[in-house]
Every structure is written in structure tokens, then in C-alpha cells.
Amino acid sequence: MIELAGVGPGPFAAMMLADMGATVIRVDRAGQVRDDERTGPHPDVLNRGRRSIAVDLKTPGGRDTVLSLVDGADALIEGFRPGVTERLGVGPRDCLARNPGLVYGRMTGWGQTGPLADFAGHDINYIALTGALHACGRAGEPPVPPMNLVGDFGGGGMMLAFGVVSGVLEARRTGIGQVVDAAMVDGASVLTTALHGLRNRGMWAAPRGENLLDTGAPFYEVYACADGKYVAVGAIEPAFYAELVRLTGFQEDPDAPDRMRPEGWAVAKKRWAALFRTRTRDEWAALAGESDACLAPVLDWDEAPAHPHVAARDTYVEHAGVVQPAPSPRFDRTPGAVQRPAPHAGEHTDEILAELGFDANGIAAQRRSGAVR
């Protein structure tokens, strides 16, 4: 697979594919090469698992190098604005002419078509237009962006990886490639499908922060503890809620309405909040232990890898001296793995050119022309 280097969701898709065993060559910009910074692995683990060739796509030699890579590739992904790769001579038509079975993955925010297709944006803008951002936040407060997980990575990079794999499977059956238009506005929208189902059933009609899963319900909420840390409670089902009540010693209000009725949630939430402030986070976590109470400590970045369950599953791994999330999902016969640390831009230029058939003189000529670095 060929990755025309970008930021965020494109590299995430390439990382996922590399983690699962794809051979990925990252085409970095020639101007990104910093020979004086190549000490140890590059710190950006999002770029792990690939080799890097640094190319100037604005030169004929650079363009031809990328097209030569395309000749033997199953897929190419890029994250430029619509029309940019066409102007550079490495657009879908150029690449599919060289390799008719190629899957050409395009990652953008707004998509390849539509009134906003040619304009800039970021995760927060894309999720705003889908309704997803509107749903995130507490009652009476402004929407809270869920970092850039919904647009960039869930709705963007993960959808692109899924699209590329789907396209490659189809191309192997038919021998014909195609273009995958992965837009974050589309992907973020499809991530909200279950919420639309709840709305259609009349189960998500209240304003933001007053519904079952958006901190409206007292049994699906984050609570402060005595030490200023937090626990997350998700005891929706009756049996799980009963276990939470039993373990914590929560005193139910005999006059309260059925717990699933929103009119009783505000009062119940205050009672739960007062209870959780009586012990520390870790005391509550120990009390819930390995139970069906659906209570978990809210861990910070440094604590998470050391949690017994996370550690037992190797959900985080250490590779090249850096702790990072492990590949996911898991396979029992062909497990994924971090293939190699993130490369520095142009770290493997000579190696990749040699694989394309260039000898030492040819590689030197490519460098002198400015086509590669």
C-alpha cells in the first residue's frame, strides 16, 4: 500500500493496515526531511509500521517515482483537498491507468463533492454538521467536542481503512479497482446510527445532557470522589444496577419514581454524587472489584496501561522504547503487531528506490534532480 503522507486520519488508516500486516510505503514530502533529527525512532507512533521515501511530487521524477510504486500496489491513500493529486499527476485516473486493479482511497473532511468540498475544515466542523457535536455535553451547557476521536479517527481514518480493505477484496475478485471517497462528515454521521434508532423509538427526545447515555441518567454518569478523582458508572440494566446498589450501599428513595423515568433523575443524581464523595476513587474501584456493577475508575494516560485488565490483555505495548496502544482488533491465527517504529521522513528512500530497480548511479541522479531526498 502507498500512503501519500498527511496528518491525522490518513496516517491512522495506514497504521491500522500496517498493524494487520500490510506492507505500507509512506511517501513524505521532500521538504520534510531533517537529516539532523534522525536519532532513534520518530516519536509520532501514529506513523508506525511503515517505511518512508521522501519525494517532491512537483517534479516529473518525483511523480514518476510514485507512479512506479503504484504499479505493484494494492491500494493508495491520500488526504489532500479534492483535485490536488490530479494536478500533481497522481490522481485516480493517472494511477488506475498504470494499475487498473488499484484501490484509490481518498480521505477528506467534506468529501469529494458537495458545496463545501473545496473548503477547509477540522473534526469539530464536520461533527457539527452531522448532529454528533450537538449531542455531546451536559444539560444547560455548550456542546463539548469529544477531542477529535469522532470525526478524524472514528468517522475518518477507521472508515477509510474499512473502505480500502473492502475495495481490495472486491478488486481481487474482479480485477478492477475503484475510488473510495471517505469523508469525515459521512463517517461521523454513520457513527450516530444507533442514536437515530433511539430517537425513532422515542427514547432520545430530551435536550442535550438529559438522555439515557449523555449524562442525563444517574446510572450512566461520571462522579467525583473524595480525592478529586472520578469513577464512571454505566449500570443501565436492572441486574447491574441492583449489584451497584448492593455493593455501594446506596439508599434508594422509597418515594422516587421508577429509575428509568427522567423526572426522577436529577434528585437521584444528587444522592449518588453525595455517596461517591465519601470514598476515594480507588476505594470505590476496589469495592466494585470484578463484579457486574459496571463501575470503573477514570484513569489518566499514565495509569491506564498499568490497570490489571489492560495489562493482562497487553492493550498497551512497548515498542522501540515507547509505550503505545497495541494493534486492534485481535486475530487468533494471524495476530497484528507493531511492525516497525515510525520512520523519519526519507529514512528509506535509497532502499525503496533500489527495490524499484534503480542502481547506485540512478539513485544519485534522482537525488541530484531533487525528485527525492
PDB file of all heavy atoms in Angstrom, residues 24-51:
ATOM      1  N   VAL A  24       3.333  -1.104   3.928  1.00  0.00           N
ATOM      2  CA  VAL A  24       2.951   0.273   3.627  1.00  0.00           C
ATOM      3  C   VAL A  24       4.196   1.124   3.410  1.00  0.00           C
ATOM      4  O   VAL A  24       5.098   1.141   4.253  1.00  0.00           O
ATOM      5  CB  VAL A  24       2.102   0.883   4.763  1.00  0.00           C
ATOM      6  CG1 VAL A  24       1.654   2.301   4.388  1.00  0.00           C
ATOM      7  CG2 VAL A  24       0.897   0.008   5.057  1.00  0.00           C
ATOM      8  N   ILE A  25       4.233   1.800   2.280  1.00  0.00           N
ATOM      9  CA  ILE A  25       5.293   2.769   1.996  1.00  0.00           C
ATOM     10  C   ILE A  25       4.697   4.160   2.114  1.00  0.00           C
ATOM     11  O   ILE A  25       3.730   4.493   1.429  1.00  0.00           O
ATOM     12  CB  ILE A  25       5.891   2.556   0.594  1.00  0.00           C
ATOM     13  CG1 ILE A  25       6.620   1.216   0.537  1.00  0.00           C
ATOM     14  CG2 ILE A  25       6.835   3.707   0.238  1.00  0.00           C
ATOM     15  CD1 ILE A  25       7.161   0.874  -0.830  1.00  0.00           C
ATOM     16  N   ARG A  26       5.261   4.947   3.001  1.00  0.00           N
ATOM     17  CA  ARG A  26       4.789   6.315   3.227  1.00  0.00           C
ATOM     18  C   ARG A  26       5.592   7.266   2.347  1.00  0.00           C
ATOM     19  O   ARG A  26       6.828   7.288   2.419  1.00  0.00           O
ATOM     20  CB  ARG A  26       4.940   6.674   4.701  1.00  0.00           C
ATOM     21  CG  ARG A  26       4.528   8.101   5.064  1.00  0.00           C
ATOM     22  CD  ARG A  26       4.664   8.315   6.565  1.00  0.00           C
ATOM     23  NE  ARG A  26       4.597   9.724   6.937  1.00  0.00           N
ATOM     24  CZ  ARG A  26       3.482  10.357   7.295  1.00  0.00           C
ATOM     25  NH1 ARG A  26       2.339   9.690   7.334  1.00  0.00           N
ATOM     26  NH2 ARG A  26       3.506  11.635   7.620  1.00  0.00           N
ATOM     27  N   VAL A  27       4.904   8.019   1.524  1.00  0.00           N
ATOM     28  CA  VAL A  27       5.551   8.995   0.648  1.00  0.00           C
ATOM     29  C   VAL A  27       5.497  10.346   1.350  1.00  0.00           C
ATOM     30  O   VAL A  27       4.468  11.025   1.369  1.00  0.00           O
ATOM     31  CB  VAL A  27       4.852   9.060  -0.722  1.00  0.00           C
ATOM     32  CG1 VAL A  27       5.539  10.104  -1.607  1.00  0.00           C
ATOM     33  CG2 VAL A  27       4.869   7.691  -1.395  1.00  0.00           C
ATOM     34  N   ASP A  28       6.610  10.719   1.954  1.00  0.00           N
ATOM     35  CA  ASP A  28       6.709  12.010   2.626  1.00  0.00           C
ATOM     36  C   ASP A  28       7.139  13.084   1.649  1.00  0.00           C
ATOM     37  O   ASP A  28       7.719  12.807   0.590  1.00  0.00           O
ATOM     38  CB  ASP A  28       7.713  11.930   3.781  1.00  0.00           C
ATOM     39  CG  ASP A  28       7.123  11.316   5.033  1.00  0.00           C
ATOM     40  OD1 ASP A  28       6.179  11.907   5.582  1.00  0.00           O
ATOM     41  OD2 ASP A  28       7.606  10.252   5.471  1.00  0.00           O
ATOM     42  N   ARG A  29       6.865  14.321   2.019  1.00  0.00           N
ATOM     43  CA  ARG A  29       7.323  15.447   1.208  1.00  0.00           C
ATOM     44  C   ARG A  29       8.835  15.596   1.361  1.00  0.00           C
ATOM     45  O   ARG A  29       9.373  15.462   2.460  1.00  0.00           O
ATOM     46  CB  ARG A  29       6.638  16.737   1.637  1.00  0.00           C
ATOM     47  CG  ARG A  29       5.137  16.764   1.385  1.00  0.00           C
ATOM     48  CD  ARG A  29       4.550  18.082   1.888  1.00  0.00           C
ATOM     49  NE  ARG A  29       3.133  18.192   1.609  1.00  0.00           N
ATOM     50  CZ  ARG A  29       2.164  17.710   2.378  1.00  0.00           C
ATOM     51  NH1 ARG A  29       2.479  17.061   3.492  1.00  0.00           N
ATOM     52  NH2 ARG A  29       0.898  17.866   2.055  1.00  0.00           N
ATOM     53  N   ALA A  30       9.498  15.917   0.265  1.00  0.00           N
ATOM     54  CA  ALA A  30      10.956  16.084   0.305  1.00  0.00           C
ATOM     55  C   ALA A  30      11.359  17.166   1.302  1.00  0.00           C
ATOM     56  O   ALA A  30      12.392  17.070   1.975  1.00  0.00           O
ATOM     57  CB  ALA A  30      11.483  16.414  -1.082  1.00  0.00           C
ATOM     58  N   GLY A  31      10.526  18.204   1.420  1.00  0.00           N
ATOM     59  CA  GLY A  31      10.835  19.297   2.327  1.00  0.00           C
ATOM     60  C   GLY A  31      10.744  18.933   3.792  1.00  0.00           C
ATOM     61  O   GLY A  31      11.173  19.713   4.653  1.00  0.00           O
ATOM     62  N   GLN A  32      10.188  17.746   4.099  1.00  0.00           N
ATOM     63  CA  GLN A  32      10.067  17.309   5.490  1.00  0.00           C
ATOM     64  C   GLN A  32      11.318  16.617   6.011  1.00  0.00           C
ATOM     65  O   GLN A  32      11.421  16.326   7.200  1.00  0.00           O
ATOM     66  CB  GLN A  32       8.888  16.354   5.628  1.00  0.00           C
ATOM     67  CG  GLN A  32       7.528  16.979   5.344  1.00  0.00           C
ATOM     68  CD  GLN A  32       7.185  18.070   6.336  1.00  0.00           C
ATOM     69  OE1 GLN A  32       7.138  19.243   5.971  1.00  0.00           O
ATOM     70  NE2 GLN A  32       6.969  17.699   7.574  1.00  0.00           N
ATOM     71  N   VAL A  33      12.273  16.333   5.130  1.00  0.00           N
ATOM     72  CA  VAL A  33      13.473  15.607   5.541  1.00  0.00           C
ATOM     73  C   VAL A  33      14.330  16.475   6.445  1.00  0.00           C
ATOM     74  O   VAL A  33      14.641  17.624   6.111  1.00  0.00           O
ATOM     75  CB  VAL A  33      14.281  15.150   4.309  1.00  0.00           C
ATOM     76  CG1 VAL A  33      15.598  14.505   4.744  1.00  0.00           C
ATOM     77  CG2 VAL A  33      13.459  14.173   3.470  1.00  0.00           C
ATOM     78  N   ARG A  34      14.693  15.944   7.590  1.00  0.00           N
ATOM     79  CA  ARG A  34      15.584  16.617   8.538  1.00  0.00           C
ATOM     80  C   ARG A  34      16.677  15.631   8.928  1.00  0.00           C
ATOM     81  O   ARG A  34      16.527  14.843   9.856  1.00  0.00           O
ATOM     82  CB  ARG A  34      14.805  17.062   9.775  1.00  0.00           C
ATOM     83  CG  ARG A  34      13.694  18.053   9.505  1.00  0.00           C
ATOM     84  CD  ARG A  34      14.248  19.426   9.127  1.00  0.00           C
ATOM     85  NE  ARG A  34      13.184  20.399   8.937  1.00  0.00           N
ATOM     86  CZ  ARG A  34      12.565  20.622   7.790  1.00  0.00           C
ATOM     87  NH1 ARG A  34      12.926  19.918   6.704  1.00  0.00           N
ATOM     88  NH2 ARG A  34      11.603  21.507   7.689  1.00  0.00           N
ATOM     89  N   ASP A  35      17.778  15.670   8.194  1.00  0.00           N
ATOM     90  CA  ASP A  35      18.845  14.700   8.434  1.00  0.00           C
ATOM     91  C   ASP A  35      19.404  14.785   9.847  1.00  0.00           C
ATOM     92  O   ASP A  35      19.840  13.783  10.418  1.00  0.00           O
ATOM     93  CB  ASP A  35      19.980  14.907   7.422  1.00  0.00           C
ATOM     94  CG  ASP A  35      19.538  14.547   6.007  1.00  0.00           C
ATOM     95  OD1 ASP A  35      18.703  13.629   5.867  1.00  0.00           O
ATOM     96  OD2 ASP A  35      20.017  15.194   5.050  1.00  0.00           O
ATOM     97  N   ASP A  36      19.364  15.976  10.451  1.00  0.00           N
ATOM     98  CA  ASP A  36      19.953  16.145  11.774  1.00  0.00           C
ATOM     99  C   ASP A  36      19.048  15.626  12.888  1.00  0.00           C
ATOM    100  O   ASP A  36      19.436  15.603  14.054  1.00  0.00           O
ATOM    101  CB  ASP A  36      20.265  17.623  12.026  1.00  0.00           C
ATOM    102  CG  ASP A  36      19.031  18.519  11.911  1.00  0.00           C
ATOM    103  OD1 ASP A  36      18.074  18.104  11.226  1.00  0.00           O
ATOM    104  OD2 ASP A  36      19.036  19.615  12.501  1.00  0.00           O
ATOM    105  N   GLU A  37      17.817  15.186  12.560  1.00  0.00           N
ATOM    106  CA  GLU A  37      16.890  14.729  13.584  1.00  0.00           C
ATOM    107  C   GLU A  37      16.729  13.209  13.601  1.00  0.00           C
ATOM    108  O   GLU A  37      15.913  12.675  14.332  1.00  0.00           O
ATOM    109  CB  GLU A  37      15.515  15.378  13.371  1.00  0.00           C
ATOM    110  CG  GLU A  37      15.516  16.885  13.581  1.00  0.00           C
ATOM    111  CD  GLU A  37      14.141  17.492  13.375  1.00  0.00           C
ATOM    112  OE1 GLU A  37      13.207  16.732  13.067  1.00  0.00           O
ATOM    113  OE2 GLU A  37      14.013  18.717  13.517  1.00  0.00           O
ATOM    114  N   ARG A  38      17.494  12.506  12.801  1.00  0.00           N
ATOM    115  CA  ARG A  38      17.318  11.060  12.710  1.00  0.00           C
ATOM    116  C   ARG A  38      18.112  10.325  13.794  1.00  0.00           C
ATOM    117  O   ARG A  38      19.026   9.571  13.528  1.00  0.00           O
ATOM    118  CB  ARG A  38      17.739  10.563  11.331  1.00  0.00           C
ATOM    119  CG  ARG A  38      16.818  11.017  10.222  1.00  0.00           C
ATOM    120  CD  ARG A  38      17.154  10.289   8.945  1.00  0.00           C
ATOM    121  NE  ARG A  38      16.495  10.874   7.796  1.00  0.00           N
ATOM    122  CZ  ARG A  38      16.673  10.466   6.554  1.00  0.00           C
ATOM    123  NH1 ARG A  38      17.519   9.474   6.297  1.00  0.00           N
ATOM    124  NH2 ARG A  38      16.046  11.037   5.557  1.00  0.00           N
ATOM    125  N   THR A  39      17.755  10.588  15.034  1.00  0.00           N
ATOM    126  CA  THR A  39      18.366   9.880  16.156  1.00  0.00           C
ATOM    127  C   THR A  39      17.291   9.049  16.833  1.00  0.00           C
ATOM    128  O   THR A  39      16.414   9.570  17.507  1.00  0.00           O
ATOM    129  CB  THR A  39      18.974  10.882  17.163  1.00  0.00           C
ATOM    130  OG1 THR A  39      19.935  11.692  16.493  1.00  0.00           O
ATOM    131  CG2 THR A  39      19.632  10.128  18.309  1.00  0.00           C
ATOM    132  N   GLY A  40      17.345   7.749  16.616  1.00  0.00           N
ATOM    133  CA  GLY A  40      16.316   6.877  17.160  1.00  0.00           C
ATOM    134  C   GLY A  40      15.023   6.977  16.379  1.00  0.00           C
ATOM    135  O   GLY A  40      14.916   7.727  15.410  1.00  0.00           O
ATOM    136  N   PRO A  41      14.018   6.224  16.795  1.00  0.00           N
ATOM    137  CA  PRO A  41      12.734   6.235  16.092  1.00  0.00           C
ATOM    138  C   PRO A  41      12.062   7.600  16.169  1.00  0.00           C
ATOM    139  O   PRO A  41      12.258   8.362  17.117  1.00  0.00           O
ATOM    140  CB  PRO A  41      11.907   5.180  16.849  1.00  0.00           C
ATOM    141  CG  PRO A  41      12.895   4.369  17.624  1.00  0.00           C
ATOM    142  CD  PRO A  41      14.029   5.287  17.925  1.00  0.00           C
ATOM    143  N   HIS A  42      11.260   7.906  15.171  1.00  0.00           N
ATOM    144  CA  HIS A  42      10.473   9.127  15.216  1.00  0.00           C
ATOM    145  C   HIS A  42       9.426   8.991  16.328  1.00  0.00           C
ATOM    146  O   HIS A  42       8.850   7.914  16.517  1.00  0.00           O
ATOM    147  CB  HIS A  42       9.787   9.356  13.873  1.00  0.00           C
ATOM    148  CG  HIS A  42       9.238  10.741  13.716  1.00  0.00           C
ATOM    149  ND1 HIS A  42       8.037  11.115  14.271  1.00  0.00           N
ATOM    150  CD2 HIS A  42       9.720  11.839  13.065  1.00  0.00           C
ATOM    151  CE1 HIS A  42       7.794  12.387  13.984  1.00  0.00           C
ATOM    152  NE2 HIS A  42       8.801  12.847  13.247  1.00  0.00           N
ATOM    153  N   PRO A  43       9.155  10.058  17.085  1.00  0.00           N
ATOM    154  CA  PRO A  43       8.252   9.923  18.236  1.00  0.00           C
ATOM    155  C   PRO A  43       6.773   9.785  17.894  1.00  0.00           C
ATOM    156  O   PRO A  43       5.971   9.403  18.749  1.00  0.00           O
ATOM    157  CB  PRO A  43       8.494  11.219  19.018  1.00  0.00           C
ATOM    158  CG  PRO A  43       8.981  12.197  17.995  1.00  0.00           C
ATOM    159  CD  PRO A  43       9.786  11.393  17.028  1.00  0.00           C
ATOM    160  N   ASP A  44       6.361  10.075  16.657  1.00  0.00           N
ATOM    161  CA  ASP A  44       4.946  10.030  16.307  1.00  0.00           C
ATOM    162  C   ASP A  44       4.526   8.594  16.014  1.00  0.00           C
ATOM    163  O   ASP A  44       4.647   8.101  14.895  1.00  0.00           O
ATOM    164  CB  ASP A  44       4.662  10.925  15.095  1.00  0.00           C
ATOM    165  CG  ASP A  44       3.175  11.067  14.826  1.00  0.00           C
ATOM    166  OD1 ASP A  44       2.372  10.390  15.510  1.00  0.00           O
ATOM    167  OD2 ASP A  44       2.794  11.852  13.936  1.00  0.00           O
ATOM    168  N   VAL A  45       3.984   7.902  17.034  1.00  0.00           N
ATOM    169  CA  VAL A  45       3.640   6.493  16.880  1.00  0.00           C
ATOM    170  C   VAL A  45       2.493   6.282  15.895  1.00  0.00           C
ATOM    171  O   VAL A  45       2.253   5.156  15.446  1.00  0.00           O
ATOM    172  CB  VAL A  45       3.299   5.853  18.241  1.00  0.00           C
ATOM    173  CG1 VAL A  45       4.525   5.836  19.126  1.00  0.00           C
ATOM    174  CG2 VAL A  45       2.138   6.569  18.925  1.00  0.00           C
ATOM    175  N   LEU A  46       1.780   7.350  15.533  1.00  0.00           N
ATOM    176  CA  LEU A  46       0.727   7.228  14.527  1.00  0.00           C
ATOM    177  C   LEU A  46       1.303   6.801  13.176  1.00  0.00           C
ATOM    178  O   LEU A  46       0.595   6.233  12.347  1.00  0.00           O
ATOM    179  CB  LEU A  46      -0.008   8.562  14.378  1.00  0.00           C
ATOM    180  CG  LEU A  46      -1.357   8.570  13.670  1.00  0.00           C
ATOM    181  CD1 LEU A  46      -2.369   7.740  14.432  1.00  0.00           C
ATOM    182  CD2 LEU A  46      -1.857   9.996  13.503  1.00  0.00           C
ATOM    183  N   ASN A  47       2.582   7.039  12.977  1.00  0.00           N
ATOM    184  CA  ASN A  47       3.234   6.684  11.713  1.00  0.00           C
ATOM    185  C   ASN A  47       3.985   5.355  11.783  1.00  0.00           C
ATOM    186  O   ASN A  47       4.745   5.022  10.871  1.00  0.00           O
ATOM    187  CB  ASN A  47       4.214   7.790  11.300  1.00  0.00           C
ATOM    188  CG  ASN A  47       3.510   9.076  10.938  1.00  0.00           C
ATOM    189  OD1 ASN A  47       2.340   9.061  10.580  1.00  0.00           O
ATOM    190  ND2 ASN A  47       4.213  10.197  11.040  1.00  0.00           N
ATOM    191  N   ARG A  48       3.728   4.591  12.822  1.00  0.00           N
ATOM    192  CA  ARG A  48       4.459   3.334  12.989  1.00  0.00           C
ATOM    193  C   ARG A  48       4.125   2.352  11.859  1.00  0.00           C
ATOM    194  O   ARG A  48       3.105   2.452  11.181  1.00  0.00           O
ATOM    195  CB  ARG A  48       4.110   2.707  14.332  1.00  0.00           C
ATOM    196  CG  ARG A  48       2.701   2.134  14.407  1.00  0.00           C
ATOM    197  CD  ARG A  48       2.340   1.757  15.826  1.00  0.00           C
ATOM    198  NE  ARG A  48       1.056   1.057  15.899  1.00  0.00           N
ATOM    199  CZ  ARG A  48       0.365   0.890  17.010  1.00  0.00           C
ATOM    200  NH1 ARG A  48       0.830   1.389  18.169  1.00  0.00           N
ATOM    201  NH2 ARG A  48      -0.785   0.230  17.011  1.00  0.00           N
ATOM    202  N   GLY A  49       5.040   1.384  11.699  1.00  0.00           N
ATOM    203  CA  GLY A  49       4.747   0.257  10.826  1.00  0.00           C
ATOM    204  C   GLY A  49       5.078   0.445   9.361  1.00  0.00           C
ATOM    205  O   GLY A  49       4.860  -0.459   8.570  1.00  0.00           O
ATOM    206  N   ARG A  50       5.596   1.621   8.955  1.00  0.00           N
ATOM    207  CA  ARG A  50       5.888   1.781   7.527  1.00  0.00           C
ATOM    208  C   ARG A  50       7.324   2.255   7.303  1.00  0.00           C
ATOM    209  O   ARG A  50       8.002   2.691   8.221  1.00  0.00           O
ATOM    210  CB  ARG A  50       4.973   2.725   6.813  1.00  0.00           C
ATOM    211  CG  ARG A  50       4.161   3.677   7.358  1.00  0.00           C
ATOM    212  CD  ARG A  50       3.003   3.524   8.191  1.00  0.00           C
ATOM    213  NE  ARG A  50       2.236   4.754   8.097  1.00  0.00           N
ATOM    214  CZ  ARG A  50       1.528   5.233   9.076  1.00  0.00           C
ATOM    215  NH1 ARG A  50       1.463   4.615  10.211  1.00  0.00           N
ATOM    216  NH2 ARG A  50       0.866   6.355   8.919  1.00  0.00           N
ATOM    217  N   ARG A  51       7.717   2.171   6.041  1.00  0.00           N
ATOM    218  CA  ARG A  51       8.954   2.792   5.603  1.00  0.00           C
ATOM    219  C   ARG A  51       8.615   4.103   4.907  1.00  0.00           C
ATOM    220  O   ARG A  51       7.482   4.306   4.462  1.00  0.00           O
ATOM    221  CB  ARG A  51       9.709   1.880   4.642  1.00  0.00           C
ATOM    222  CG  ARG A  51      10.195   0.589   5.277  1.00  0.00           C
ATOM    223  CD  ARG A  51      10.958  -0.272   4.270  1.00  0.00           C
ATOM    224  NE  ARG A  51      10.094  -0.705   3.170  1.00  0.00           N
ATOM    225  CZ  ARG A  51      10.550  -1.179   2.011  1.00  0.00           C
ATOM    226  NH1 ARG A  51      11.858  -1.264   1.784  1.00  0.00           N
ATOM    227  NH2 ARG A  51       9.704  -1.568   1.080  1.00  0.00           N
TER     228      ARG A  51
END
